[in-house]
Amino acid sequence: MAFDNPAADPATPRHDWTVDEIEALFDIPFTELVFRAATVHRRWFNPAEVQISQLLSVKTGGCPENCGYCSQSQSFDTGVDASKLMEVQAVLAEAARAKAGGAQRFCMGAAWRDLKDRDLPKVSAMISGVKAMGLETCVTLGMLQPHQATALKDAGLDYYNHNLDTGPEYYGKVVTTRTYQDRIDTLGHVHAAGLKTCCGGIVSMGETRRDRASLLHALATLPHHPDSLPINDLMPVPGTPLGGSKSVGGIEFVRMIAVARLVCPQAVVRLSAGRDHMSRELQALCFMAGANSIFVGNVLLTTPNPEQSEDAALFADLGLKPMTMGEAETVSA
Ligand code: SAM
Ligand code: DTB
Ligand code: SF4
């Protein structure tokens, strides 16, 4: 497809989206929307390839934040006990298992509000050790200061995950212990340190379609589009304020993936939490609509994920293969 005016090419990244424009994309008839997203997907990626990540909770529970979806907040009685930061060798043993199972990236999560300097040496040793195994590295540790982002980069970190979670208008209904701007500031420090950003959000938290468009608007108007863009379907956790939220349904979820692909065309869009309650056919639609990454392993941080054998069968049936390492490293606009 040749475009005389590159600005009219829907695969060219833009930073000047309006929320109205993005909401209008959600209104496109479903088959047309998926077709458009699939077309843009092919301009930047091989649609038969999916990036494979695996998560490990290296510090679980007892978090002082009050994110209304989270099993790990100390504000809610969810049955998830607080534990200490894992030992480096135990983390490396899990990373080796993940690599043997086919993961390309190992993502370590900690239930912290922010990273404390006293924990930097241990976290850095985890990152260096995982990197030395030939895996890509990702961590999600809460808010960061600039010198901490630089230290993580020096340790061999590739990606930092820090989600905006929802649109700025709905955000206050979900979290009150940190601001939207706090999150954007951390993302700025991460990018300035030369790290790749992994940033997305959650649907099915009781938000409106306008809120979903507003989240994607916030992501697409960041100075740097996320390199990796996770879309999570809420894993409802009993005991949390959002434990009884109603799902947006599969069709709306696929629309969210498709619109994410259209507004951040170069991002690796991850079909993230929620696969455990999705049919194989719904996941196939997500891949058609531009999703090209998943988490493997039968647990995410604290909630279930499909068995690896089910994913292997799904990939075989769909003719999907793991993304070539490094291919996701095209620099996003
Ligand atoms: N404490 C760090 C933070 O919040 O930045 C890192 C860990 S936190 C669990 C990482 C992300 O996982 C959250 O920002 C949220 O988007 C997602 N998440 C957490 N609980 C979830 C749930 N029950 N369902 C879907 N996504 C969830
Ligand atoms: C992201 O967006 N999703 C992942 C990862 N980044 C850290 C976490 C999903 C967590 C789902 C809930 C749980 O397992 O506790
Ligand atoms: Fe803490 Fe992160 Fe859970 Fe929020 S999402 S309560 S910051 S672990």
Side-chain angles (χ1 to χ4, degrees):
M1 220 187 301
F3 288 85
D4 294 337
N5 171 10
D9 179 351
T12 302
R14 288 175 46 193
H15 292 261
D16 61 350
W17 290 96
T18 65
V19 182
D20 285 341
E21 273 181 301
I22 296 177
E23 195 177 14
L25 295 174
F26 277 86
D27 292 333
I28 295 172
F30 183 80
T31 49
E32 172 62 20
L33 174 61
V34 172
F35 174 75
R36 284 197 206 179
T39 305
V40 165
H41 187 187
R42 278 153 183 72
R43 292 287 298 283
W44 293 108
F45 297 100
N46 176 345
E49 292 190 351
V50 175
Q51 193 280 330
I52 311 278
S53 294
Q54 186 152 350
L55 277 166
L56 176 67
S57 181
V58 298
K59 195 275 167 211
T60 306
C63 183
E65 299 279 71
N66 69 354
C67 311
Y69 47 77
C70 188
S71 64
Q72 303 195 70
S73 167
Q74 67 184 15
S75 308
F76 320 129
D77 189 5
T78 63
V80 171
D81 294 330
S83 61
K84 290 205 303 206
L85 182 60
M86 284 175 71
E87 292 306 326
V88 176
Q89 286 313 320
V91 171
L92 299 187
E94 292 295 334
R97 260 193 286 279
K99 185 174 162 76
Q104 302 165 329
R105 188 178 309 161
F106 194 63
C107 308
M108 294 162 273
W112 286 328
R113 168 182 166 76
D114 49 14
L115 174 61
K116 301 283 187 294
D117 282 345
R118 64 168 183 266
D119 292 317
L120 247 178
K122 207 164 164 185
V123 169
S124 297
M126 292 174 188
I127 292 167
S128 311
V130 171
K131 185 78 177 166
M133 289 176 186
L135 286 159
E136 290 179 332
T137 52
C138 177
V139 293
T140 180
L141 312 169
M143 291 185 279
L144 280 191
Q145 295 167 36
H147 72 278
Q148 296 174 325
T150 303
L152 296 176
K153 170 78 181 166
D154 291 346
L157 187 65
D158 296 307
Y159 289 81
Y160 195 85
N161 167 252
H162 200 64
N163 289 339
L164 294 181
D165 281 350
T166 188
E169 299 80 9
Y170 194 65
Y171 181 82
K173 297 263 190 309
V174 178
V175 191
T176 59
T177 49
R178 75 170 96 156
T179 68
Y180 214 69
Q181 190 58 46
D182 287 334
R183 292 183 186 246
I184 290 173
D185 290 348
T186 288
L187 289 168
H189 302 328
V190 166
H191 182 59
L195 293 164
K196 295 194 173 65
T197 54
C198 172
C199 183
I202 313 177
V203 305
S204 299
M205 296 198 296
E207 77 286 344
T208 61
R209 178 180 274 186
R210 178 83 177 172
D211 292 320
R212 291 188 281 281
S214 185
L215 164 64
L216 293 179
H217 174 259
L219 295 169
T221 56
L222 286 169
H224 176 78
H225 283 179
D227 296 286
S228 168
L229 198 168
I231 301 292
N232 297 279
D233 198 24
L234 179 72
M235 298 295 287
V237 177
T240 61
L242 296 174
S245 294
K246 188 169 166 289
S247 165
V248 294
I251 305 288
E252 183 69 4
F253 188 83
V254 176
R255 285 185 186 276
M256 183 73 181
I257 296 276
V259 178
R261 169 56 63 216
L262 288 173
V263 300
C264 292
Q266 287 180 290
V268 172
V269 176
R270 182 173 304 116
L271 165 54
S272 198
R275 290 198 305 117
D276 198 55
H277 54 246
M278 291 179 194
S279 69
R280 288 155 50 90
E281 292 77 12
L282 177 54
Q283 294 179 62
L285 271 175
C286 291
F287 294 128
M288 282 185 66
N292 58 348
S293 172
I294 57 167
F295 285 121
V296 296
N298 62 0
V299 61
L300 293 165
L301 291 172
T302 66
T303 63
N305 199 43
E307 293 291 335
Q308 217 127 338
S309 56
E310 291 173 47
D311 285 338
L314 180 63
F315 271 44
D317 287 350
L318 296 178
L320 293 174
K321 57 181 188 210
M323 193 179 281
T324 315
M325 274 274 277
E327 200 164 314
E329 293 185 4
T330 48
V331 178
S332 272

